[in-house]
Amino acid sequence: MNNAKTYEQLLRENAELNLRLEEATDTIDAIRTGQIDALVVNDANAGHQLYTLKTADHSYRVFIEKMNEGAVTLNEDGIILYANSRFASMLGATLPDIVGKLFETFVSGDCRPMFREVFTTAWHKDVQIELKVSKNKGTVPCQLSLTVLQLDEGPSLSVIITDLTFQKNIQRLLKENNQRLTIANTELEASNHDLQQFASIASHDLQEPLRKILIFANMIRDRHAKDLPAESQRYLDKIISSSQRMRSMASDILNYSGLTTNPETFDQVDLEAVIAEILDDYDLLLQERNVEVIVNELTMVEGNRGQIKQVFQNLISNSIKFSRQDRPPVIRIFCNPANPASGETDEGAFCHIVVADNGIGFEKEYQERIFSLFERLNNKDQYEGSGIGLSITRKIIERHHGTISAESIPGEGARFTISLPVKQPKSEG
């Protein structure tokens, strides 16, 4: 008898097998996503059998299938009873390759002893652990969160697997950047130290030749002024004036570099006594320029007395230097005490000292630029100075953990506000 099937019969069987395969695939998908709660299976020997899918499992399956993390359910032997699609994609595998296998087989070999330990512990308490799972020829860093679930079939172990690849990459990049920053900071500190040393040495070495230039230039002017033509006298005056300005600049650079190298020594400073000393030093200049200085009651602050004095010397000197020609200079110095409403109390209290004048002032756009090194707003021939004074002032104030700001209206004067802690913060360590 010829049992050979015709081509048409084979096509029909093939179509039928494809249909059954599609139905099976849809059924598995429905079970996995919780769309059905029971199955009726036609057994050749036992007839139709009803298999129920417990409602507790239903909600659980729907939930974990929608998660962004991998999720598996293990029995007491560590066999995977259920796995979601996300876990399969993490491993680069299919669900049939995962379900029914020991979870440990998907754990990187070097992490398996650690997993066995937490697997035992997790049946008694919730556990979290970081380890690697295998993916093709590589591994994936993951965090496992293990907790016991009481399902209708009995206790099972739920494992949530979070892929840490992105976090680990970020941590690695941060570590590399921090290492680069550390190296850059070390190089910057070394460079700053070299610059400070250079500034100090260069400024110090400039003093001696400048002193000789001034001595000899003054000798020529004093002894031979009558013999020199008017044009030569004018050139000589410019040499002397430029040398004096350069000497002042060298001195200021020394002071500026010294602010970085010298350690802080803070004591109680009586601001009224400091201002009184400065006014005494400037007594002749104040009389010559007919300057009126009004000093209101000032408070005590903690700081370096010499540096605090330099701050007010610079500000008072500036007010005199940049006064108007059509009216006598007036300088007011007063102190606004700490403001309790702003939270400035006890050790956090600040004293706000104002130095205001009625001089030529400056445009608003220069409020910050005037504190820059060598910044000048006016012609150096008309207004003497090195352009470093206010830079030194700000640096001193910042070393005292304070701030200084300036505001002005051209032709109506300038106002500098210094905020200093009444008590310097205690250094840690």
Side-chain angles (χ1 to χ4, degrees):
M1 184 174 181
N2 186 9
N3 292 326
K5 297 181 180 179
T6 65
Y7 178 73
E8 288 76 11
Q9 287 176 320
L10 291 172
L11 284 177
R12 283 196 298 272
E13 285 184 7
N14 187 55
E16 186 177 346
L17 287 172
N18 281 332
L19 182 61
R20 289 180 181 179
L21 180 60
E22 288 178 7
E23 289 177 350
T25 302
D26 291 342
T27 301
I28 292 171
D29 228 22
I31 292 170
R32 183 165 56 81
T33 57
Q35 297 176 35
I36 59 176
D37 291 320
L39 286 175
V40 177
V41 179
N42 185 13
D43 188 282
N45 298 318
H48 289 83
Q49 298 290 323
L50 177 66
Y51 294 87
T52 60
L53 305 175
K54 305 300 182 181
T55 54
D57 292 347
H58 173 91
S59 300
Y60 176 64
R61 289 197 311 274
V62 172
F63 171 69
I64 65 174
E65 190 59 36
K66 294 182 180 294
M67 291 174 58
N68 289 324
E69 287 84 3
V72 299
T73 305
L74 310 180
N75 68 7
E76 293 177 347
D77 297 322
I79 293 174
I80 299 174
L81 302 177
Y82 177 82
N84 68 353
S85 300
R86 174 61 180 154
F87 181 61
S89 66
M90 286 171 63
L91 300 183
T94 63
L95 287 170
D97 295 331
I98 297 171
V99 177
K101 305 284 178 43
L102 275 171
F103 183 83
E104 184 179 316
T105 60
F106 301 106
V107 176
S108 177
D110 57 330
C111 297
R112 287 178 185 177
M114 184 167 48
F115 172 74
R116 294 187 192 112
E117 184 178 343
V118 298
F119 178 76
T120 303
T121 306
W123 291 97
H124 307 288
K125 64 176 183 178
D126 293 351
V127 182
Q128 280 192 340
I129 186 174
E130 286 190 16
L131 49 71
K132 292 172 289 183
V133 297
S134 301
K135 178 180 181 180
N136 299 329
K137 295 181 180 180
T139 58
V140 181
C142 295
Q143 176 180 279
L144 270 56
S145 301
L146 298 87
T147 187
V148 173
L149 288 179
Q150 295 297 335
L151 301 178
D152 289 346
E153 289 81 2
S156 299
L157 195 62
S158 171
V159 184
I160 305 301
I161 305 101
T162 305
D163 188 341
L164 299 180
T165 302
F166 178 75
Q167 292 92 321
K168 293 295 182 183
N169 287 337
I170 293 298
Q171 288 174 5
R172 177 179 55 80
L173 290 173
L174 285 173
K175 185 177 180 180
E176 291 175 358
N177 287 338
N178 285 335
Q179 289 173 343
R180 292 192 191 100
L181 283 174
T182 300
I183 294 170
N185 284 336
T186 302
E187 293 174 349
L188 185 60
E189 287 175 4
S191 176
N192 283 341
H193 177 73
D194 292 343
L195 285 172
Q196 290 157 12
Q197 292 296 104
F198 173 77
S200 178
I201 293 170
S203 300
H204 186 272
D205 291 348
L206 280 173
Q207 298 286 348
E208 184 58 23
L210 281 173
R211 187 179 68 84
K212 288 182 178 178
I213 290 172
L214 280 169
I215 288 173
F216 291 125
N218 280 311
M219 287 175 62
I220 292 172
R221 184 175 62 180
D222 294 342
R223 296 180 184 181
H224 306 286
K226 295 179 181 178
D227 302 328
L228 293 173
E231 187 177 15
S232 297
Q233 289 186 25
R234 189 168 66 255
Y235 291 155
L236 185 60
D237 288 339
K238 285 185 177 292
I239 290 172
I240 293 172
S241 175
S242 296
S243 298
Q244 288 173 335
R245 189 161 57 249
M246 193 168 184
R247 182 175 64 178
S248 174
M249 187 179 294
S251 177
D252 285 344
I253 291 173
L254 272 173
N255 290 334
Y256 190 83
S257 62
L259 289 175
T260 305
T261 56
N262 295 336
E264 300 95 335
T265 53
F266 296 135
D267 297 300
Q268 287 296 314
V269 179
D270 185 342
L271 293 180
E272 290 187 15
V274 168
I275 301 297
E277 283 183 20
I278 296 170
L279 297 182
D280 187 57
D281 293 339
Y282 286 173
D283 184 48
L284 290 177
L285 177 62
L286 296 175
Q287 290 184 34
E288 288 175 5
R289 301 289 295 274
N290 194 24
V291 181
E292 181 184 5
V293 181
I294 304 168
V295 182
N296 292 0
E297 183 178 353
L298 301 176
T299 187
M300 301 277 289
V301 295
E302 199 171 67
N304 182 298
R305 195 179 192 279
Q307 292 181 6
I308 294 293
K309 182 176 180 180
Q310 189 172 4
V311 165
F312 287 100
Q313 279 179 331
N314 290 344
L315 293 178
I316 292 171
S317 174
N318 261 20
S319 293
I320 297 172
K321 184 192 308 179
F322 298 108
S323 59
R324 290 176 50 166
Q325 300 296 322
D326 58 343
R327 61 185 178 191
V330 177
I331 305 170
R332 292 186 64 238
I333 304 172
F334 56 93
C335 180
N336 291 330
N339 181 10
S342 65
E344 297 176 3
T345 56
D346 301 329
E347 292 188 0
F350 275 72
C351 178
H352 308 288
I353 308 131
V354 178
V355 179
D357 61 49
N358 63 342
I360 62 174
F362 53 84
E363 297 286 352
K364 186 177 180 179
E365 62 190 275
Y366 297 111
Q367 284 182 189
E368 282 298 316
R369 285 179 55 186
I370 59 173
F371 294 105
S372 300
L373 206 59
F374 301 117
E375 183 68 39
R376 299 182 61 91
L377 307 188
N378 306 99
N379 189 301
K380 63 179 181 293
D381 294 326
Q382 186 176 1
Y383 296 97
E384 62 180 12
S386 63
I388 304 178
L390 287 178
S391 300
I392 292 175
T393 298
R394 168 169 276 185
K395 193 162 189 177
I396 290 173
I397 296 301
E398 288 175 348
R399 283 172 65 88
H400 283 73
H401 305 98
T403 60
I404 181 170
S405 60
E407 53 186 331
S408 175
I409 298 175
E412 297 186 19
R415 177 187 177 101
F416 291 86
T417 302
I418 301 168
S419 296
L420 283 173
V422 176
K423 291 184 179 179
Q424 289 296 317
K426 295 178 181 178
S427 59
E428 297 181 359

